[in-house]
Amino acid sequence: MNHNTPLSSDTSLPHRSPNEPPVTGCRVLTTAQLRAQGVRPSDALAACRAPGPWQQLLPGVFLLRPGPPTSDERLHAVLLYAGRPPVTRVPRQGGTTSEEPASPYGDALLTGLAALALHGFTSAPPLLALDRLDVLVPRTRRLRSAAFAGLVRSNTLPAPQWITGLPVAPVARALADAVADLDDAESVRRLLTEAVRSGRCDPTTLVAELTRARLLNRPQVSGAVDALRAEGRLIAEERLYRMVREYGLPDPLWNVDLRLPGGPHLGGVDAYWPEQAVALELDTGSAGRWPDGFDESDDWCEHARRREHLERLGITVVHIPQRRLRESMAEQATVVRTALMASDEREPAAYVMVLPR
């Protein structure tokens, strides 16, 4: 994304001495940035009056050329408006000082549909089709939404991901902020499904973010999440089959239930190696198995008790989160292989019945 196109002659800065250093090539500037270049606010506003060569896109943010702003210029404008980057004095040649921004966008970052478009979502509208570009800011920011800049306030801001030089919210957070403003169930389903199918976000992280945003009680979201869990489950199982095949692991018994002879049901596992007494469980975000911050649920406690029971019987339980299976398959294969090889050093496990699930 290039904001450094040189200014044409009809967008020159008013009342500027020819002996001064040239203005930055960026065509979208704030009042403070223009002042640092020697342009008074009154002169900037005068340059925006018809038939002036400039225009004011947002309060305190100017486009130094006529004509409709491009999508890049709109993104740049909303970040400058919401971020209000601090301006500090820096030395200039000759012993003088000038004011320059310490950070290009302060603490603002793009979120919602605009962020998803930058992440490459085909189910998100193109940037120029968006009437509003959402920007994530601290809750204490004393600023209102204006024109095409929509402010989304938050107590905590995620670490930005930089895309084409712009700070963008991570996919899960951008999805939650986008879904919060969508009433159409089909649009919600398409966005969430694309996130999982494309591998941009795993279901566990996504559902955790939707839970944090208190969106799971909305019908259009809960219905999409049910489909999302099923989608994530299928994808995770396919990756697990591929891991066993590509890394030369022994073939397990797939998707089985374990039961003590004449005793209680021990639960289902995704893969089981009976000779080594090793069970594997995929964490796909179902049955209450959420990431940190979600492990106090009754479902999670029941899952933990079941796992402890299996291990007391001498069965090694390998737990693989879907995200790790996606991002580090070789490492997870090593974990499974190590558990299988270590079976010779353990006491024999209790006999359990293996039933199809």
Side-chain angles (χ1 to χ4, degrees), residues 87-110:
V87 176
T88 56
R89 289 191 171 273
V90 297
R92 289 169 101 182
Q93 291 182 352
T96 61
T97 60
S98 68
E99 292 182 343
E100 292 185 3
S103 173
Y105 305 111
D107 49 15
L109 61 159
L110 295 160

Side-chain angles (χ1 to χ4, degrees), residues 112-141:
L113 291 174
L116 296 178
L118 288 170
H119 278 293
F121 274 66
T122 59
S123 54
L127 289 169
L128 281 177
L130 295 173
D131 295 329
R132 189 184 76 179
L133 303 176
D134 287 333
V135 191
L136 201 55
V137 296
R139 188 169 296 279
T140 55
R141 179 63 44 78

Side-chain angles (χ1 to χ4, degrees), residues 61-353:
V61 181
F62 299 87
L63 175 59
L64 275 59
R65 68 169 183 82
T70 65
S71 59
D72 290 359
E73 289 166 342
R74 294 173 79 231
L75 292 170
H76 192 54
V78 297
L79 285 168
L80 289 175
Y81 171 71
R84 298 295 190 192
V87 176
T88 56
R89 289 191 171 273
V90 297
R92 289 169 101 182
Q93 291 182 352
T96 61
T97 60
S98 68
E99 292 182 343
E100 292 185 3
S103 173
Y105 305 111
D107 49 15
L109 61 159
L110 295 160
T111 190
L113 291 174
L116 296 178
L118 288 170
H119 278 293
F121 274 66
T122 59
S123 54
L127 289 169
L128 281 177
L130 295 173
D131 295 329
R132 189 184 76 179
L133 303 176
D134 287 333
V135 191
L136 201 55
V137 296
R139 188 169 296 279
T140 55
R141 179 63 44 78
R142 299 181 63 182
L143 197 65
R144 295 181 179 180
S145 298
F148 55 88
L151 268 60
V152 179
R153 304 179 191 279
S154 177
N155 290 324
T156 57
L157 299 182
Q161 296 180 356
W162 291 85
I163 301 177
T164 61
L166 297 175
V168 181
V171 168
R173 181 57 184 271
L175 278 166
D177 290 334
V179 165
D181 291 328
L182 292 176
D183 296 324
D184 179 45
E186 181 59 24
S187 297
V188 172
R189 186 195 63 79
R190 284 199 303 267
L191 288 171
L192 299 187
T193 300
E194 181 176 352
V196 174
R197 286 183 179 175
S198 65
R200 294 186 179 94
C201 189
D202 64 84
T204 304
T205 302
L206 181 51
V207 175
E209 192 64 49
L210 294 172
T211 303
R212 180 205 59 79
R214 300 181 179 179
L215 295 171
L216 288 184
N217 60 342
R218 299 188 181 186
Q220 68 271 25
V221 177
S222 61
V225 166
D226 289 340
L228 186 69
R229 287 170 174 163
E231 183 85 20
R233 180 78 191 176
L234 289 174
I235 293 174
E237 288 180 347
E238 289 174 359
R239 290 194 178 113
L240 182 58
Y241 299 152
R242 183 157 58 90
M243 181 190 77
V244 170
R245 183 177 65 254
E246 292 184 0
Y247 291 91
L249 297 173
D251 288 331
L253 301 175
W254 296 106
N255 295 315
V256 294
D257 280 325
L258 303 181
R259 183 184 297 272
L260 286 173
H265 176 232
L266 300 174
V269 294
D270 296 290
Y272 185 62
W273 289 264
E275 293 183 5
Q276 295 85 5
V278 173
L280 184 147
E281 291 186 329
L282 278 173
D283 184 351
T284 58
S286 59
R289 287 175 281 178
W290 306 117
D292 294 344
F294 293 83
D295 57 355
E296 295 300 323
S297 68
D298 292 339
D299 286 338
W300 175 268
C301 293
E302 176 60 30
H303 167 71
R305 284 193 294 268
R306 182 166 58 86
R307 180 175 179 176
E308 290 174 2
H309 190 184
L310 289 174
E311 291 180 342
R312 284 198 301 270
L313 294 172
I315 297 174
T316 300
V317 181
V318 178
H319 181 75
I320 299 183
Q322 181 181 350
R323 176 179 57 83
R324 293 182 185 172
L325 185 59
R326 183 183 74 245
E327 297 176 355
S328 56
M329 183 179 292
E331 179 181 328
Q332 302 313 305
T334 300
V335 171
V336 174
R337 182 177 286 106
T338 301
L340 294 172
M341 294 175 63
S343 64
D344 293 337
E345 303 173 3
R346 300 193 307 265
E347 292 293 328
Y351 174 76
V352 295
M353 298 176 62

